[in-house]
Amino acid sequence: SQQGEEDPQALSIQEGENATMNCSYKTSINNLQWYRQNSGRGLVHLILIRSNEREKHSGRLRVTLDTSKKSSSLLITASRAADTASYFCATDAEDSSYKLIFGSGTRLLVRP
Amino acid sequence: GAVVSQHPSRVICKSGTSVKIECRSLDFQATTMFWYRQFPKQSLMLMATSNEGSKATYEQGVEKDKFLINHASLTLSTLTVTSAHPEDSSFYICSAQSLHGTGEIGELFFGEGSRLTVL
């Protein structure tokens, strides 16, 4: 079952602009992760944020976590055409930290 | 980083046949592997948890007799779609948890996926 929703479902921006994607989840978590998936390919792990963290940075990525609202956001700054992909948040299941439950995903298109 | 290999990457089969998909951890041992299913433009849905040496644990709504999972060694889990039908056409992705990890959630690695098309 899916943990929650991501919005927007699809996002189209111009190269150089920032892209913000949001994720909401339903249950309490230990960690929240963001993954990227190019069309027809496997998943690439982007960043993990723990439940006791509020913000984390990795290169052009910035992730926030608000456990009171059960939501997270992924910001990609200075986007590039190569950032075009689907982005998924994933939370650990209640019975296992390694069992991930994925959000519905955001399809990002960065126009050159 | 650790590598998880899936084979085949693409398979086309006739309705009624069975298809086996392999998930291998190439440079680490994995006590637990997870199988996901993904329909076009949709998210990954967890199908089952595969435990080495024991029966798989299936998520609600997943037919265990339809999707047979075997995890016979610490480096290999297989998913067999039995008597496949067109509605089984999907992208199947596995992930593997490292045996010798420190318990960090980051030690979870994904395969490249296997696209099944049932005619």
Side-chain angles (χ1 to χ4, degrees):
Chain A
S1 60
Q2 280 178 227
Q3 171 67 285
E5 296 298 316
E6 287 182 58
D7 93 275
Q9 291 187 344
L11 179 62
S12 178
I13 60 174
Q14 201 70 37
E15 201 166 31
E17 294 180 338
N18 296 340
T20 300
M21 290 160 267
N22 303 294
C23 163
S24 62
Y25 56 93
K26 298 173 182 173
T27 62
S28 60
I29 63 170
N30 296 308
N31 307 283
L32 185 143
Q33 302 182 65
W34 284 89
Y35 285 85
R36 166 197 168 122
Q37 183 183 36
N38 286 357
S39 182
R41 303 295 299 275
L43 296 177
V44 175
H45 181 258
L46 295 177
I47 196 166
L48 178 152
I49 187 166
R50 300 184 188 282
S51 60
N52 61 354
E53 297 176 310
R54 291 297 166 259
E55 187 172 311
K56 203 163 184 178
H57 296 256
S58 176
R60 293 185 295 113
L61 305 179
R62 172 177 169 255
V63 169
T64 63
L65 178 64
D66 187 335
T67 53
S68 66
K69 294 181 180 179
K70 290 187 166 60
S71 68
S72 174
S73 68
L74 170 68
L75 168 67
I76 303 175
T77 60
S79 64
R80 306 166 182 169
D83 294 329
T84 295
S86 290
Y87 292 83
F88 296 94
C89 68
T91 54
D92 51 328
E94 291 180 291
D95 58 342
S96 168
S97 290
Y98 289 94
K99 191 163 94 173
L100 297 183
I101 308 298
F102 285 84
S104 52
T106 294
R107 295 191 307 279
L108 174 66
L109 171 64
V110 181
R111 304 185 305 273
Chain B
V3 177
V4 174
S5 172
Q6 274 187 247
H7 177 80
S9 58
R10 292 178 182 272
V11 57
I12 300 173
C13 70
K14 292 182 179 179
S15 186
T17 60
S18 294
V19 175
K20 181 184 286 187
I21 300 170
E22 295 185 345
C23 178
R24 291 181 185 273
S25 55
L26 296 185
D27 51 1
F28 67 99
Q29 294 180 316
T31 51
T32 304
M33 293 183 175
F34 301 92
W35 286 95
Y36 291 84
R37 180 176 184 175
Q38 185 180 32
F39 290 107
K41 297 185 178 180
Q42 293 190 28
S43 186
L44 283 77
M45 304 295 289
L46 180 65
M47 298 175 65
T49 302
S50 170
N51 301 298
E52 187 268 335
S54 64
K55 291 183 179 180
T57 304
Y58 290 81
E59 295 298 304
Q60 190 173 7
V62 178
E63 299 176 59
K64 58 181 67 177
D65 294 330
K66 173 74 171 177
F67 299 100
L68 300 179
I69 291 173
N70 182 276
H71 194 155
S73 77
L74 287 172
T75 59
L76 174 64
S77 174
T78 60
L79 167 68
T80 301
V81 183
T82 62
S83 187
H85 292 284
E87 58 265 30
D88 298 323
S89 297
S90 190
F91 193 55
Y92 294 88
I93 302 177
C94 71
S95 65
Q97 169 190 339
S98 174
L99 169 64
H100 297 296
T102 58
E104 288 292 320
I105 183 60
E107 288 153 351
L108 183 65
F109 307 99
F110 282 83
E112 279 290 300
S114 299
R115 184 165 301 285
L116 170 64
T117 302
V118 185
L119 302 176

